[in-house]
Amino acid sequence: MSGSAAKKLSFKQQQLQFRENAILDVVNRLLAKKGFDLMTMDEVAAEVGIAKASLYKHFESKEVLSAASMTRLMEQTIAVASSLPASLCALDKLKSIVRWAIQTHLGGTMPLLPSTRSSIQQALLTYPPYIEKLSALTEQLGGWIGEAQEHGTLSNTLPGEVILYTIFARSCDPVADFLKMGGAFSDAEIVELLIRTCFDGMTG
Amino acid sequence: MSGSAAKKLSFKQQQLQFRENAILDVVNRLLAKKGFDLMTMDEVAAEVGIAKASLYKHFESKEVLSAASMTRLMEQTIAVASSLPASLCALDKLKSIVRWAIQTHLGGTMPLLPSTRSSIQQALLTYPPYIEKLSALTEQLGGWIGEAQEHGTLSNTLPGEVILYTIFARSCDPVADFLKMGGAFSDAEIVELLIRTCFDGMTG
DNA sequence: GTCTATAAACCGATAGAC
DNA sequence: GTCTATCGGTTTATAGAC
């Protein structure tokens, strides 16, 4: 009896989780496509197929909704980082992360809003779950960066801070969009071109 | 008499030009600070010190106003490119342009909106003066890129298109903002760090 | 041309019925 | 929890007096 009740509750919770995941999928795509400021709650509700008021039953504001989407994305990135083969050297791990990010970005499901100008930026900083994941990822990447610098595969005269920010920024580089718009390269080619210019520059 | 009339007219035109230049200064700064979507016409009018209705006597819409600002910026960039010492090699000319752009960006007066997500992007493409200047600058930079590739100072296995977009993108790289927010580096240091990672990568 | 005042549209968020 | 309908605020743009 109690087992059945527990199962029923769990099922309801699963349903809820499933619905909210579907919402976040839409938000992720819309954030990637239009950014926070241009995305409207009407639009989100319409694409999910529910009324706007229902949307607000799940997420109390546009800021929280977007922050939740960004947090889930952060979790996915951490998962990718964790699942990398241990046999890879630190530099290749870093390249793999950037490669995955650019691929996802080109696929249209990676919200790129590290633009300091988006009004969500401050909301993110006051959303603990996001900060937590961001810190975890930063620590992971920071370790690899230090490792690569010790091995001499990344310049050790370059501040680790600069390398870290550069990796984050290249993950949502507008160059990818422009090259895709140009139509001269396949997605795979664009990814490799960006990886190359990011790590090896344009002189070599 | 006709000379005096002509002079008076010219004076009025100068006044007009002066006023519109002051408006564009404000717009340039606000675009750099908040981007197109977050900048409001009320804000522009308030900072210029005129009524919003007056603003619309000078520029017929927010899009045209912003496009005019971007066009003036493009003209300034072309002017900088034209005034570079002829003694510089092609690579150093390209570096100088990026260096100037990042410096200006850090100074707070360079609108960075090549984010494909800004709603002004389409307006720019249908604003002939902007396209004209953009084409001129592209041609100038493209020439230097080809030259540098021939001299072997830029990789000739890298499509010129990629180098061009990369240069444009680095001119408004969010990495500069993050490093500035971090507060660990001076503006001059940030500029050199970005120039270095842009052209030489992070491995060397 | 500059102003005040306002129209028209849009958007985030909520009320209340079911 | 989902819906329809609407509020309240903001923003672009304009009307009309001076």
Side-chain angles (χ1 to χ4, degrees):
Chain A
M1 273 304 224
S2 70
S4 172
K7 200 175 181 183
K8 209 168 186 180
L9 184 68
S10 170
F11 178 71
K12 272 192 180 175
Q13 283 179 336
Q14 271 193 354
Q15 249 189 343
L16 184 79
Q17 193 96 26
F18 187 79
R19 167 65 56 94
E20 294 195 346
N21 242 308
I23 295 175
L24 291 182
D25 283 340
V26 169
V27 172
N28 186 299
R29 206 180 60 247
L30 285 177
L31 281 179
K33 186 181 172 189
K34 321 181 69 176
F36 177 78
D37 298 308
L38 264 53
M39 178 186 77
T40 70
M41 295 297 268
D42 289 273
E43 209 173 3
V44 175
E47 290 221 11
V48 175
I50 60 174
K52 185 164 57 168
S54 305
L55 190 55
Y56 276 93
K57 296 285 181 183
H58 291 279
F59 300 94
E60 65 185 17
S61 71
K62 185 184 178 185
E63 279 75 15
V64 168
L65 173 62
S66 301
S69 170
M70 295 296 293
T71 302
R72 204 188 54 162
L73 178 66
M74 214 37 99
E75 288 165 357
Q76 291 168 355
T77 309
I78 291 172
V80 170
S82 300
S83 70
L84 288 176
S87 58
L88 288 181
C89 69
L91 177 64
D92 284 338
K93 284 179 184 165
L94 291 171
K95 283 189 182 179
S96 296
I97 292 292
V98 179
R99 188 175 284 116
W100 170 80
I102 299 175
Q103 278 168 350
T104 308
H105 174 189
L106 285 170
T109 57
M110 183 110 179
L112 42 85
L113 30 87
S115 67
T116 327
R117 275 131 212 86
S118 188
S119 41
I120 201 193
Q121 203 66 17
Q122 198 185 359
L124 282 178
L125 297 179
T126 59
Y127 190 74
Y130 177 79
I131 297 298
E132 192 185 328
K133 311 294 184 215
L134 178 61
S135 300
L137 182 59
T138 296
E139 196 174 350
Q140 174 78 279
L141 297 186
W144 290 341
I145 290 172
E147 213 175 303
Q149 285 182 315
E150 283 177 19
H151 285 91
T153 49
L154 274 184
S155 166
N156 51 19
T157 62
L158 211 53
E161 208 177 343
V162 174
I163 297 178
L164 180 67
Y165 290 153
T166 301
I167 286 177
F168 272 118
R170 286 318 152 261
S171 298
C172 46
D173 200 316
V175 173
D177 299 294
F178 287 128
L179 287 178
K180 181 149 190 166
M181 274 171 49
F185 304 99
S186 70
D187 281 13
E189 285 169 336
I190 293 175
V191 170
E192 292 314 313
L193 285 167
L194 259 65
I195 291 282
R196 182 176 156 194
T197 57
C198 174
F199 285 91
D200 300 325
M202 307 188 295
T203 54
Chain B
M1 274 298 222
S2 70
S4 174
K7 201 175 182 184
K8 209 169 187 179
L9 184 68
S10 170
F11 177 70
K12 273 192 180 177
Q13 283 180 335
Q14 272 193 352
Q15 250 189 342
L16 185 78
Q17 194 96 26
F18 187 79
R19 166 63 57 93
E20 296 198 344
N21 242 310
I23 295 175
L24 292 183
D25 283 340
V26 170
V27 172
N28 186 299
R29 205 180 60 246
L30 286 178
L31 280 179
K33 187 181 172 191
K34 322 181 67 176
F36 176 78
D37 298 308
L38 263 55
M39 179 187 77
T40 69
M41 296 297 269
D42 289 273
E43 209 173 3
V44 174
E47 289 221 11
V48 174
I50 60 174
K52 186 165 54 169
S54 305
L55 189 55
Y56 275 93
K57 295 285 181 182
H58 291 281
F59 300 94
E60 66 185 18
S61 72
K62 185 183 177 184
E63 279 76 14
V64 168
L65 173 61
S66 301
S69 170
M70 295 297 293
T71 302
R72 204 189 53 162
L73 178 66
M74 216 33 100
E75 288 165 357
Q76 291 168 355
T77 309
I78 292 173
V80 170
S82 299
S83 70
L84 288 177
S87 58
L88 288 180
C89 69
L91 178 65
D92 285 338
K93 284 178 184 165
L94 290 172
K95 283 189 181 179
S96 296
I97 291 292
V98 180
R99 188 175 284 115
W100 170 80
I102 299 176
Q103 278 168 350
T104 309
H105 174 188
L106 284 170
T109 57
M110 183 109 179
L112 43 86
L113 32 85
S115 68
T116 328
R117 275 130 211 86
S118 187
S119 40
I120 203 196
Q121 203 64 16
Q122 198 186 358
L124 281 177
L125 297 180
T126 59
Y127 189 74
Y130 177 80
I131 297 297
E132 192 185 329
K133 310 294 184 217
L134 178 61
S135 299
L137 181 59
T138 295
E139 196 174 352
Q140 174 77 280
L141 296 185
W144 290 341
I145 290 171
E147 213 176 303
Q149 285 183 315
E150 284 177 18
H151 285 92
T153 50
L154 274 184
S155 165
N156 52 18
T157 63
L158 211 53
E161 208 176 344
V162 174
I163 297 177
L164 179 68
Y165 289 153
T166 300
I167 287 177
F168 272 118
R170 288 316 153 261
S171 299
C172 46
D173 200 316
V175 172
D177 298 295
F178 287 127
L179 288 177
K180 181 148 192 167
M181 274 172 49
F185 304 98
S186 70
D187 281 13
E189 286 169 335
I190 293 175
V191 171
E192 292 314 314
L193 285 167
L194 259 65
I195 290 283
R196 184 176 154 193
T197 57
C198 173
F199 286 91
D200 300 325
M202 307 188 295
T203 55

